Amino acid sequence: MKLEQVFESYKENIMPTYTKVPLVFVKGKGSKLWDIKGKEYLDFFPGWGVGNLGHCHPKVMNAVRDQISKLIFIPNNYYHVPQAKLAKEIVYWTYPAKVFFCNSGAEANEGAIKFVRKFGKGRYEIITFENSFHGRTLATLAATGQKKYQEGFAPLPEGFKTVKFNSLEAVKGAITDKTVAIMLELIQGEGGINIASKDFVQGVKKICEEKKLLLIVDEVQTGMGRTGKLFCYQHYGITPDILTLAKALGGGLPIGMMVVKKEIADILQPGMHASTFGGGPVICKAALASLTAIQKEKLLAKAQKSGEYLLGKLNKLKDRYPAINEVRGMGLMVGLDLNISGKPVVEKCIEKGLLINCTHDTVLRLMPALNITKKEIDKAIEIIERSLIEVLK
Ligand SMILES: *Cc1c(COP(=O)(O)O)cnc(C)c1O
């Protein structure tokens, strides 16, 4: 297909649910992407948080190739080895737990919402936070604390109370005898890279223990090394009751998971919840390969170090450009909060071969692969600076 034919087909045949950048990509390797015209791009936002390993990591490719030639799919009424291995691995790196396999972040959160309702035996209210994002299904939309995503989809499922982020008072004020859980992103990704304070998170955990509430930590975006630890909650000295994962978990392939504390995990009995494709052999092999790569290639330490380097560079830019309000981040999850609209800056960056994202209107979001090099960071900073200069002219 030629470029024009691709655009034409999208226009005619695909529902227009995404704001699109007019680029057609054909190949990726590490932090590089190539479009159909052969132009090279540096990808500082690979896969909206999916690409923690960059594009086409060789370990993931080999694992998928190997598994695809043996067994592509086996449903969940049978057993298979890759699922057994992946579950064991995730439990090893988290806490005593049992996992449920699904295919996306929304599905993982939807599962968590169903789980806490079974757990609650009549208690059903979940406290969530302003500017949170938990997915696009009806229940996860109801949990999402941003009205713009909910408009026109009423009635949404009941039982969600949205309160101010980072405010323990707000949490305490929202608890009733119907409350069963608190659902929290430790760093709000879609909400603009807002970082939960340690006091707040530990306070929430304490409230959960006192009031017998479950703490659901949504690490769909922060998980798998993004913040310099395998899971972001490990920065906070707490353990979730339910952890939800997706995005980077499968090394680029679609997988979601909820990780539920062992002592309560058997609440969901046969027939109560399911997902046909959840945890198939190919995707489990990809996720295992991705976990191996994170360990073997020391990507957690790299994310921490590169994150500090990137933040340092961005803070230097901030000193020179009053258009930059604030630089926020943890590991390689970084936001550059502007006091101008971010969209034209993103467009200039893309023109110059750097792919980044803008969220919450003014926040440039940088989430490069964990194996990004210093040289690549320098190049990205240089393009961002040139783009800023042009927009400010
Ligand atoms: C992306 C995201 C989701 C939704 O994941 P999907 O796979 O798109 O359904 C949920 N929570 C957070 C924090 C996310 O970043």
Side-chain angles (χ1 to χ4, degrees), residues 262-329:
K262 199 159 204 164
E263 61 258 36
I264 51 173
D266 289 346
I267 285 173
L268 289 184
Q269 285 289 307
M272 288 182 183
H273 193 51
S275 177
T276 300
F277 278 115
V282 176
I283 179 66
C284 285
K285 272 291 192 64
L288 280 164
S290 163
L291 271 168
T292 306
I294 290 171
Q295 302 304 323
K296 286 241 162 90
E297 293 164 27
K298 304 195 168 33
L299 295 184
L300 302 178
K302 277 189 186 157
Q304 210 143 8
K305 216 167 141 217
S306 302
E308 277 163 26
Y309 183 72
L310 176 60
L311 279 175
K313 285 260 167 179
L314 290 171
N315 272 312
K316 281 205 187 113
L317 279 189
K318 178 177 161 264
D319 292 342
R320 284 190 282 131
Y321 298 94
I324 302 175
N325 237 349
E326 196 183 18
V327 179
R328 299 189 287 267

Side-chain angles (χ1 to χ4, degrees), residues 332-370:
L332 281 170
M333 184 159 182
V334 173
L336 196 61
D337 199 350
L338 307 177
N339 49 39
I340 54 169
S341 166
K343 199 169 160 241
V345 184
V346 170
E347 282 165 3
K348 290 279 177 205
C349 285
I350 293 174
E351 265 173 41
K352 299 181 197 332
L354 175 71
L355 304 177
I356 61 169
N357 165 261
C358 173
T359 186
H360 229 70
D361 300 331
T362 60
V363 182
L364 303 184
R365 185 166 37 163
L366 311 179
M367 290 177 55
L370 309 185

Side-chain angles (χ1 to χ4, degrees), residues 48 103-107 109 133-136 185 189-190 218-221 246-247:
W48 286 70
N103 310 288
S104 69
E107 205 188 345
N109 286 330
F133 184 85
H134 298 296
R136 303 285 195 153
E185 284 166 280
E190 304 308 307
D218 177 347
E219 291 222 34
V220 169
Q221 193 160 149
K247 292 204 168 98

